[in-house]
């Protein structure tokens, strides 16, 4: 009993000493490291991994500079709040960490948390009992973060090999220049707290960290986040990154967006940030749904930015130089003659002989041989979802008078709405003016005002948006049209609440925006035209 009490007294003394220990450690500051011990974590992890028969982890950030100078992840996706260059001392980093850490409420803090998950979470980014420190980030933007080898090794095979492998090095401080501090903290939060905290501006950097340290569940969450936030604005950049990280599902989703919304993707700022290999793959794409003059102009914009990356003057000669053989992947002979004459022919990028040969290709019976691909792209074939089983007309229907016909719909897979199929006049041929809109929760996603000609038949006539609109699954959208023209037209009957169109299931319901009688059972907007 005496021994037991003695042990208990020793334990109590240990608990009471903990705050003093942390206080003393904070005064001492970080341990100085010799230059030989300040190597990056890449070499440490690779040597340790080989000894433990773990697969090597070699990921390289997307090349956005010349081959001699490459942009790292921290440069491509910078933090919203740049690091303060004045806070480079170890003491300032140490104090910053303490300010961000969880506070220990009492000496017997362990008894306040009922699960190992809660107790582990207390140790996240906490100096208490920390046995390793990481200096994370590129020079000028580093942050010193505490860690606990046991927790890290349990969550990552790379950390296990680094700390407990046969060739493990006993370092108090490890430098990681190729990972952003915010991304490293997101990974640590997952390892300590079992929580995934992702942000749009750091998710790619977090994916890089998760791949580097083989944390597959976090990597999968990053990919899911990227797929959810995928749009025409970032599809090209994410395509290059998905290939780099070997994520085929994400790559496929990127191609779906690029194919369907090709002109938006090619005009985005992100297109100019892709590497040459990704540029070639896009220019080769058969299913690219874009005019060739848009492809040509996008390639020239990329070439101008690439000249800046290679520190070249963006002259016509240098633009052609950086494009190289990729120029011949642009299908210039398939352009409309006006587009070629007013665009590509006067750009200066083509030689005089190339320009003459292409003009002969348009006009001569005997066409010259060209280095350019001369077959038009196949593009995408639009699908039509028809929601009525029959149509009809009466002497007093369907009248418009500037009123709105609307219907709500939802799909079970991501699609891209290209336009609507509309009815025409029931009293012979006539011209209509149509204002079409696509909204989600009152927010307009796409709209267009155009005219179409109906021949008096009961067929539907397509009216297109300027660009296809991306539609997410399991969310209701509102399709609306305001028609102006012959007051009498055909209208649909025997409407269906659910329609199977290929691999896509579409559900319909009435819309409160409809003020002209259109609903699920009958009315206007008989067809949705989409790419899937």
């Amino acid at each position: 009993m005496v021994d037991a009490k003695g042990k208990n007294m020793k334990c109590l003394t240990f608990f009471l000493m903990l705050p003093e220990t942390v206080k003393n450690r904070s005064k001492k500051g970080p341990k100085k490291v010799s230059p030989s011990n300040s190597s990056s974590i890449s070499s440490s992890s690779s040597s340790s991994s080989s000894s433990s028969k773990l697969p090597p982890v070699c990921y390289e950030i997307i090349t956005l500079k010349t081959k001699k100078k490459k942009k790292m992840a921290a440069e491509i996706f910078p933090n919203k709040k740049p690091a303060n260059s004045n806070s480079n001392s170890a003491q300032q980093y140490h104090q910053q960490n303490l300010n961000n850490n969880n506070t220990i409420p009492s000496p017997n803090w362990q008894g306040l948390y009922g699960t190992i998950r809660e107790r582990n979470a207390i140790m996240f980014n906490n100096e208490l009992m920390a046995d390793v420190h990481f200096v994370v980030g590129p020079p000028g933007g580093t942050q010193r973060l505490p860690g606990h080898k046991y927790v890290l090794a349990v969550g990552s095979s790379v950390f296990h090999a680094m700390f407990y492998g046969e060739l493990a090095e006993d370092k108090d401080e490890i430098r990681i220049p190729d990972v952003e501090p915010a991304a490293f903290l997101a990974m640590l939060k997952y390892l300590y707290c079992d929580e995934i905290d992702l942000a749009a501006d750091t998710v790619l950097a977090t994916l890089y960290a998760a791949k580097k340290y083989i944390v597959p569940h976090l990597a999968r969450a990053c990919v899911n986040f990227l797929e959810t936030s995928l749009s025409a604005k970032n599809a090209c950049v994410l395509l290059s990154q998905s290939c780099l990280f070997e994520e085929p599902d994400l790559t496929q989703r990127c191609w779906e967006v690029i194919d369907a919304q090709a002109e938006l993707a090619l005009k985005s700022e992100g297109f100019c940030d892709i590497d040459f290999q990704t540029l070639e793959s896009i220019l080769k794409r058969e299913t690219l749904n874009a005019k060739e003059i848009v492809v040509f102009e996008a390639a020239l914009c990329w070439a101008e930015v690439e000249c800046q990356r290679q520190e070249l003057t963006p002259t016509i000669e240098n633009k052609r130089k950086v494009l190289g053989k990729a120029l011949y992947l642009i299908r210039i002979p398939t352009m409309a003659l006006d587009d070629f004459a007013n665009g590509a022919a006067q750009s200066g990028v083509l030689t005089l002989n190339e320009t003459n040969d292409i003009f002969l290709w348009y006009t001569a019976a005997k066409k010259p041989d060209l280095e350019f691909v001369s077959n038009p792209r196949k593009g995408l074939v639009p699908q039509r979802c028809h929601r009525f089983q029959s149509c009809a007309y009466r002497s007093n229907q369907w009248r418009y008078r500037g009123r709105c016909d609307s219907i709500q719909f939802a799909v079970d897979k991501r699609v891209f709405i290209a336009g609507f199929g509309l009815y025409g006049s029931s009293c012979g041929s006539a011209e209509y003016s149509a204002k079409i809109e696509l909204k989600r929760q009152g927010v307009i996603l796409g709209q267009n005002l155009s005219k179409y000609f109906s021949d008096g038949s009961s067929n539907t006539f397509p009216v297109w948006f300027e660009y296809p609109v991306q539609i997410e699954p399991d969310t209701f959208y509102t399709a609306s049209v305001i028609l102006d023209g012959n007051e009498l037209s055909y209208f649909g009957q025997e409407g269906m609440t659910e329609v199977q169109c290929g691999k896509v299931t579409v559900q319909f319901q009435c819309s409160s925006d409809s003020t002209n009688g259109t609903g699920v059972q009958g009315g206007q907007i008989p067809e949705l035209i989409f790419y899937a």
Side-chain angles (χ1 to χ4, degrees):
M1 295 297 293
V2 174
D3 291 340
K5 289 182 179 179
K7 289 182 180 179
N8 287 337
M9 289 300 295
K10 289 179 182 179
C11 291
L12 180 59
T13 303
F14 174 72
F15 288 137
L16 294 173
M17 288 176 63
L18 280 176
E20 184 64 24
T21 305
V22 175
K23 182 177 179 182
N24 292 338
R25 289 176 62 183
S26 64
K27 290 181 179 179
K28 292 179 182 179
K31 181 180 178 181
K32 294 185 178 180
V33 183
S34 63
S36 61
N37 289 334
S38 61
S39 59
S40 69
I41 195 167
S42 301
S43 60
S44 174
S45 62
S46 60
S47 62
S48 302
S49 299
S50 60
S51 63
S52 303
K53 299 181 179 180
L54 291 171
V57 183
C58 299
Y59 290 93
E60 184 180 12
I61 296 298
I62 178 175
T63 303
L64 293 185
K65 290 282 185 182
T66 62
K67 293 183 179 179
K68 295 181 180 179
K69 188 176 181 181
K70 300 181 179 180
K71 265 193 177 182
M72 306 306 286
E75 296 175 85
I76 305 173
F77 305 97
N79 291 330
K80 292 182 178 179
K81 298 181 180 179
N84 187 349
S85 59
N86 295 328
S87 58
N88 290 330
S89 68
Q91 288 291 343
Q92 286 172 315
Y93 285 134
H94 189 69
Q95 186 62 40
Q96 180 182 1
N97 287 338
L98 289 177
N99 292 338
N100 292 335
N101 287 349
N102 296 291
T103 57
I104 304 302
S106 67
N108 188 23
W109 60 269
Q110 293 91 338
L112 301 178
Y113 301 95
T115 65
I116 185 65
R117 179 179 178 274
E118 293 175 314
R119 291 190 290 274
N120 263 354
I122 287 293
M123 308 310 294
F124 165 61
N125 195 21
N126 199 323
E127 288 288 347
L128 181 63
M129 294 186 284
D131 52 1
V132 66
H133 287 82
F134 301 95
V135 179
V136 186
T142 58
Q143 187 172 348
R144 192 171 186 269
L145 302 173
H148 306 79
K149 293 182 179 180
Y150 167 75
V151 177
L152 298 174
V154 168
S156 164
S157 58
V158 174
F159 282 127
H160 181 272
M162 187 187 305
F163 300 135
Y164 301 106
E166 294 178 5
L167 299 178
E169 299 182 22
D170 188 14
K171 292 183 177 180
D172 293 330
E173 188 172 274
I174 299 173
R175 297 187 178 273
I176 311 176
D178 60 331
V179 177
E180 296 179 27
F184 197 78
L185 276 171
M187 182 180 69
L188 291 184
K189 187 172 185 179
Y190 172 74
L191 295 177
Y192 279 81
C193 311
D194 200 24
E195 295 179 12
I196 297 176
D197 187 9
L198 300 175
D201 56 344
T202 58
V203 62
L204 271 175
T206 304
L207 176 59
Y208 173 76
K211 287 281 188 175
K212 176 173 182 176
Y213 294 101
I214 312 182
V215 187
H217 295 291
L218 178 60
R220 184 68 252 170
C222 291
V223 171
N224 291 339
F225 183 96
L226 291 171
E227 289 180 353
T228 302
S229 59
L230 184 61
S231 68
K233 294 181 179 180
N234 59 19
C236 294
V237 172
L238 292 183
L239 175 67
S240 62
Q241 293 291 317
S242 65
C243 296
L244 175 69
F245 293 130
E246 299 178 350
E247 290 290 344
D249 292 341
L250 180 58
T251 300
Q252 178 59 32
R253 297 297 293 273
C254 290
W255 278 125
E256 291 174 3
V257 174
I258 293 171
D259 283 342
Q261 297 180 301
E263 294 192 1
L264 284 176
L266 294 173
K267 292 177 180 180
S268 68
E269 294 182 3
F271 177 79
C272 295
D273 292 334
I274 61 177
D275 58 280
F276 183 77
Q277 184 178 359
T278 305
L279 173 71
E280 282 189 312
S281 65
I282 292 176
L283 296 182
K284 290 178 181 177
R285 191 76 174 171
E286 278 287 339
T287 50
L288 209 59
N289 201 39
K291 294 178 181 178
E292 208 62 32
I293 185 63
V294 176
V295 179
F296 178 79
E297 291 171 349
L300 290 188
C301 289
W302 179 91
E304 182 173 352
V305 176
E306 181 65 17
C307 285
Q308 297 173 5
R309 286 193 286 262
Q310 296 188 22
E311 299 179 357
L312 299 173
T313 305
T315 61
I316 296 297
E317 294 75 14
N318 285 336
K319 289 181 183 180
R320 176 156 183 148
K321 178 182 177 181
V322 297
L323 281 172
K325 293 184 178 180
L327 177 64
Y328 298 110
L329 298 175
I330 305 172
R331 308 187 183 195
I332 295 178
T334 68
M335 290 181 184
L337 182 56
D338 288 346
D339 289 339
F340 173 71
N342 298 317
Q346 298 187 42
S347 67
V349 175
L350 304 178
T351 65
L352 183 59
N353 287 336
E354 288 170 343
T355 304
N356 290 336
D357 286 345
I358 294 173
F359 267 121
L360 289 174
W361 175 271
Y362 283 108
T363 58
K366 185 179 180 181
K367 300 184 183 300
D369 294 331
L370 300 174
E371 290 189 68
F372 295 91
V373 179
S374 57
N375 297 323
R377 301 180 194 273
K378 295 178 181 178
L380 295 176
V381 178
Q383 300 184 44
R384 293 176 177 245
C385 174
H386 197 92
R387 68 188 189 92
F388 295 126
Q389 300 182 65
S390 64
C391 68
Y393 69 93
R394 298 192 186 98
S395 60
N396 62 342
Q397 292 181 346
W398 192 274
R399 299 180 184 275
Y400 301 107
R401 300 189 182 93
R403 290 179 293 193
C404 180
D405 289 287
S406 296
I407 192 71
Q408 288 193 332
F409 69 94
V411 295
D412 64 341
K413 292 180 175 62
R414 174 182 288 176
V415 299
F416 301 87
I417 297 292
F420 303 147
L422 303 178
Y423 288 124
S425 171
S426 60
C427 302
S429 60
E431 186 179 63
Y432 281 87
S433 174
K435 179 183 178 181
I436 59 174
E437 283 186 350
L438 192 59
K439 296 186 291 185
R440 179 178 61 190
Q441 297 177 348
V443 178
I444 297 176
L445 304 178
Q447 62 180 355
N448 196 20
L449 178 62
S450 62
K451 294 183 178 181
Y452 68 96
F453 182 82
S454 67
D455 57 8
S457 70
S458 60
N459 296 329
T460 58
F461 304 92
V463 179
W464 308 95
F465 289 105
E466 184 178 3
Y467 301 109
V469 180
Q470 181 172 307
I471 301 298
E472 297 298 333
D474 305 322
T475 301
F476 273 96
Y477 294 78
T478 302
S480 302
V481 60
I482 298 177
L483 288 171
D484 184 20
N486 193 313
E487 287 193 353
L488 299 179
S489 76
Y490 289 93
F491 60 93
Q493 296 183 134
E494 301 178 278
M496 296 173 284
T497 58
E498 184 173 299
V499 179
Q500 187 70 33
C501 189
K503 296 181 179 180
V504 180
T505 301
V506 186
Q507 292 181 327
F508 294 96
Q509 68 180 23
C510 293
S511 169
S512 60
D513 291 348
S514 188
T515 59
N516 198 39
T518 290
V520 174
Q521 296 301 319
Q524 299 298 321
I525 317 180
E527 284 184 340
L528 301 178
I529 305 173
F530 65 93
Y531 302 116

